[in-house]
Amino acid sequence: MTQQEIYREVLELPLQERKELIKRLSQNLEFENTENGSNESTEKEFSTKEKKAAYLRLRGALKMDNPPMTKEEVREIYYERLAEKYK
């Protein structure tokens, strides 16, 4: 499986599963980094060009299928459920 195929499959996962995957990968990298005796900070300063490239690669990765509900829609659903509950 190529990196691009993996990337496409990850984008099809639900948001919670993607978060869990990122968490596990981060923990694995951190473990391997400390296991190899390297306790140095892996953080580095990225150039503007690198930041822009990363942004372009990740743009739309967490895009929602539908826009979030408005306060009015949430309030309406809440009132409907309360009305149904206390009939």
Side-chain angles (χ1 to χ4, degrees):
M1 186 178 281
T2 67
Q3 183 179 0
Q4 291 174 340
E5 291 171 336
I6 293 170
Y7 180 73
R8 274 190 238 116
E9 284 195 24
V10 168
L11 290 180
E12 293 176 10
L13 293 173
L15 179 61
Q16 193 59 35
E17 289 183 24
R18 282 186 275 173
K19 286 181 180 180
E20 183 66 28
L21 178 63
I22 290 171
K23 180 181 168 186
R24 287 183 180 187
L25 287 172
S26 295
Q27 289 172 346
N28 184 293
L29 287 172
E30 207 171 288
F31 175 76
E32 286 184 11
N33 192 28
T34 56
E35 190 176 70
N36 293 333
S38 175
N39 290 332
E40 299 174 20
S41 175
T42 58
E43 294 181 28
K44 77 170 203 174
E45 291 296 319
F46 293 102
S47 69
T48 305
K49 189 175 182 179
E50 290 172 318
K51 289 178 184 178
K52 185 175 181 179
Y55 165 76
L56 292 174
R57 285 193 310 270
L58 294 173
R59 183 178 53 184
L62 300 177
K63 186 176 182 181
M64 296 172 34
D65 293 335
N66 299 320
M69 296 187 336
T70 63
K71 287 183 180 181
E72 290 78 23
E73 291 172 329
V74 172
R75 191 175 293 129
E76 184 178 323
I77 291 171
Y78 176 71
Y79 289 146
E80 286 174 7
R81 291 202 180 166
L82 283 178
E84 193 174 308
K85 181 179 179 180
Y86 293 108
K87 276 185 178 180

